[in-house]
Amino acid sequence: MEKKNKEDLFRFVEYSPEAAERVGYSDYSYWKSVFQNFLKKKSAVVMAFIFFGLVIFSFIALAIGKYDYATLVHQQDAALAFTSPNSEFWFGTDNLGRDYWCQVWYAAQTSIKLALIVALGECVVGVTIGCIWGYVRQLDRFLTELYNIINNVPMIIYMTLIALLLGHSFFIMAVALIAFGWLTMARNVRNLVLMYRDREYNLASRCLGTPIWRVLVKNILPYLISIIILRLALSIPSTIALESTLSYLGLGLGIDEPSLGILLRNARNYFLDYPYLLVFPAVIVSLITITFYLVGNAFSDAADPRNHV
């Protein structure tokens, strides 16, 4: 068999920028990967549909209800008090004869709106303070002492003083919960920033003169997204639970702004004889807390870059 020359066996390939670009291209997308991982968890997807369905139905329920809450709060009929659920009053009536259907769904809207506002507020304040706390070492002592002072006083004491001094309103309660609820988020973010701030790529970025905000946003924040999402998801059910507890104690929202906690408080004297007064708001509170807790955990795992391939 005739031997081939080296020139016949090998040849130099000319450099092509287009071919090099095709070889080095990756279609990886962080958020695409996050949602792909999340959609693999069927139970979490089902829970997400239940939660969003509950939120949407809270608006539909008021539209299809036979009574309008805005006019109902000024009207009452003692003769209709404690009417059991029927074709006229789908959730029955309360101790004043008011339709319980519109009260429950209006209260669900109020509680969900409060929880979302508080969760987003805690996220923004907690992440901002946590990043500064973990990155700027000169402020570590001051912020640590501030955290210890605020955290060592029970939340119920803060809320009691605020309710007595400033009164009851949606705005006051939302601001108060944000003002004292950012601690957990800030502490978790601070601990993670301490882990990543002195890694080689961040040291290189600082040596090249990269601004601090860019180092935090581009180099460190992607590693914090999973814990931020987890704390955000946990904050929503915990806010609803705290609001329910405060309202049960008479420290929550005003009587003109009903929430699920206020309905639970009002039902405590009657639920043995009229259990539907407790069952309907309790079921909605349970659905919101359980579904969002499970969805938050699943989405947090999906957002962790270490789980991406």
Side-chain angles (χ1 to χ4, degrees), residues 9-269:
L9 296 174
F10 304 99
R11 64 185 179 84
F12 288 101
V13 178
E14 295 182 359
Y15 173 74
S16 172
E18 293 80 7
E21 185 71 22
R22 285 197 302 272
V23 173
Y25 173 75
S26 173
D27 62 349
Y28 171 79
S29 170
Y30 172 76
W31 287 109
K32 179 181 178 181
S33 181
V34 168
F35 285 105
Q36 285 177 344
N37 289 343
F38 178 75
L39 292 175
K40 293 177 182 177
K41 302 178 179 181
K42 303 302 182 184
S43 60
V45 174
V46 172
M47 291 296 177
F49 275 109
I50 292 175
F51 174 78
F52 288 113
L54 184 65
V55 174
I56 294 172
F57 185 75
S58 67
F59 292 90
I60 298 176
L62 291 178
I64 65 176
K66 296 183 178 181
Y67 298 92
D68 180 28
Y69 176 80
T71 58
L72 186 66
V73 292
H74 302 296
Q75 299 175 359
Q76 57 192 41
D77 187 352
L80 297 175
F82 300 120
T83 301
S84 299
N86 53 45
S87 58
E88 177 67 19
F89 301 103
W90 298 336
F91 278 5
T93 61
D94 63 3
N95 59 313
L96 298 178
R98 298 175 299 184
D99 180 49
Y100 209 50
W101 169 273
C102 63
Q103 289 191 71
V104 168
W105 291 112
Y106 188 88
Q109 285 186 20
T110 302
S111 295
I112 293 172
K113 181 169 64 174
L114 176 68
L116 291 174
I117 292 174
V118 171
L120 291 175
E122 289 178 358
C123 179
V124 172
V125 176
V127 171
T128 303
I129 295 178
C131 288
I132 297 173
W133 187 2
Y135 200 88
V136 182
R137 305 307 303 145
Q138 294 85 347
L139 296 176
D140 182 68
R141 179 65 180 273
F142 169 75
L143 291 174
T144 301
E145 294 300 328
L146 178 64
Y147 170 86
N148 291 332
I149 292 172
I150 298 176
N151 192 54
N152 285 328
V153 179
M155 173 71 81
I156 192 71
I157 295 179
Y158 291 125
M159 300 308 298
T160 302
L161 292 175
I162 291 173
L164 294 176
L165 295 175
L166 302 178
H168 306 266
S169 74
F170 183 92
F171 176 77
I172 291 174
M173 190 169 191
V175 172
L177 291 175
I178 293 172
F180 300 107
W182 57 268
L183 298 172
T184 304
M185 176 76 80
R187 183 191 61 196
N188 292 334
V189 170
R190 178 253 186 188
N191 293 338
L192 289 174
V193 171
L194 284 176
M195 290 173 55
Y196 295 115
R197 71 183 297 275
D198 290 329
R199 295 199 172 181
E200 292 80 1
Y201 52 88
N202 288 325
L203 294 174
S205 295
R206 293 207 295 270
C207 291
L208 293 172
T210 305
I212 293 178
W213 68 267
R214 188 172 180 83
V215 173
L216 288 170
V217 173
K218 296 293 185 180
N219 295 2
I220 298 178
L221 190 60
Y223 291 95
L224 309 181
I225 290 179
S226 61
I227 191 65
I228 291 173
I229 291 175
L230 178 61
R231 291 307 317 168
L232 186 66
L234 294 178
S235 177
I236 290 176
S238 65
T239 299
I240 292 177
L242 179 60
E243 182 273 324
S244 300
T245 303
L246 293 173
S247 297
Y248 187 84
L249 298 174
L251 302 173
L253 300 175
I255 57 175
D256 294 332
E257 190 85 32
S259 65
L260 293 173
I262 291 178
L263 295 184
L264 292 173
R265 181 193 68 187
N266 294 340
R268 63 185 174 182
N269 296 324

